[in-house]
Amino acid sequence: MSTSTETRRGSLACVGLGMTLGSHLTPLARSHITQSDVVFAGLSDGIVEAWLQRMHADVRSLQPYYREGKSRATTYREWVAVMMAEVRAGKRVCGVFYGHPGIFAWSPHKVIEVARAEGFHAHMEPGISAEDCLYADLGIDPGRFGCQHFEASQLLLFERRIDPTGYLVLWQVGHVGDQSLARFRATGPAYRQLFVDLLAQDYPLDHELIVYRAATLPIQQPRIRRFALRELPHIELTAEETVVLPPARAMKPNQAVRARLAELEAMEAAGEPA
């Protein structure tokens, strides 16, 4: 028989606000926010955080855990710890993040993993991401030529294969080459020149690149700038901006596979098993 003195089991929901304030918030995400006991806000915009505080009486900002010279990996582990402390205390916890809570966001994935491992109910509610806005604002259909996405430093530091016949989307180029995870300022031109040298193995230096940032307030427009690849080291970039390289080559037909498909179709037409 239950009693009023029983400890209530905690729960966790990580939700996304979308990119543009107010207009991207889904009804289900709003419900998780308003019905929670405590809300943790992983938002870098004070205006958005103030708007969130109008929806709930107990909104706790995660921004103070950042500090110049402190590894972001340490900060993100601390985020997990403070959210889990409230879950373990039996509270309904909601973590609120920009865009989609599972895209370029280590802490939401990790805290859900930890909560589930400890037997708590944990859920991620998707949101409209910068990637979604990018497709709409730049008129890109990823199904037309294909689309590769890389975090810029990962592409620089590891041996990855680029396909220049599709779109190449590069995230966090402003911090490319930062292995400390402790910088708040962008890395300098020498770091980006090293990145250009890598990309130049697959793209001509005069190839167009697009620097994109989604609108975050309803009164804003997306920021779209176009440059040649060679200019990348010398342009101003923020951490929020994404770099897109359109296809540089035409797709080459795979004649061997096409010939085999033609054989299979001929067999089917003749009534033979393919």
Side-chain angles (χ1 to χ4, degrees), residues 61-77:
S61 176
L62 294 169
Q63 291 301 113
Y65 291 90
Y66 284 117
R67 189 172 65 249
E68 181 73 41
K70 175 183 177 182
S71 171
R72 290 189 294 279
T74 299
T75 296
Y76 298 150
R77 287 193 293 269

Side-chain angles (χ1 to χ4, degrees), residues 132-142 144 167 212 224 226:
D132 300 313
C133 297
L134 181 151
Y135 293 143
D137 293 332
L138 299 185
I140 293 174
D141 179 354
R144 186 179 180 194
Y167 287 95
Y212 170 79
I224 301 170
R226 300 176 189 272

Side-chain angles (χ1 to χ4, degrees), residues 103-104 130-131 134-135 146-177 195 198-199 202-203 210 232 237 239-245:
I103 296 180
F104 285 91
E131 178 186 349
L134 181 151
Y135 293 143
C147 196
Q148 285 184 298
H149 293 256
F150 291 105
E151 196 277 332
S153 290
Q154 185 186 92
L155 181 60
L156 184 65
L157 294 169
F158 294 89
E159 295 184 2
R160 308 298 301 270
R161 295 180 63 183
I162 295 174
D163 178 4
T165 67
Y167 287 95
L168 179 65
V169 182
L170 302 168
W171 301 90
Q172 299 179 337
V173 176
H175 289 280
V176 67
F195 193 49
L198 174 71
L199 295 173
D202 293 286
Y203 297 90
I210 305 165
L232 182 59
L237 278 179
E240 297 80 16
E241 288 180 303
T242 303
V243 172
V244 180
L245 276 73

Side-chain angles (χ1 to χ4, degrees), residues 60-109:
R60 305 178 192 180
S61 176
L62 294 169
Q63 291 301 113
Y65 291 90
Y66 284 117
R67 189 172 65 249
E68 181 73 41
K70 175 183 177 182
S71 171
R72 290 189 294 279
T74 299
T75 296
Y76 298 150
R77 287 193 293 269
E78 291 172 345
W79 288 10
V80 172
V82 296
M83 286 189 280
M84 281 306 305
E86 297 298 331
V87 173
R88 293 176 184 128
K91 295 183 180 179
R92 293 171 296 181
V93 175
C94 184
V96 180
F97 302 89
Y98 256 130
H100 188 303
I103 296 180
F104 285 91
W106 180 85
S107 298
H109 285 293

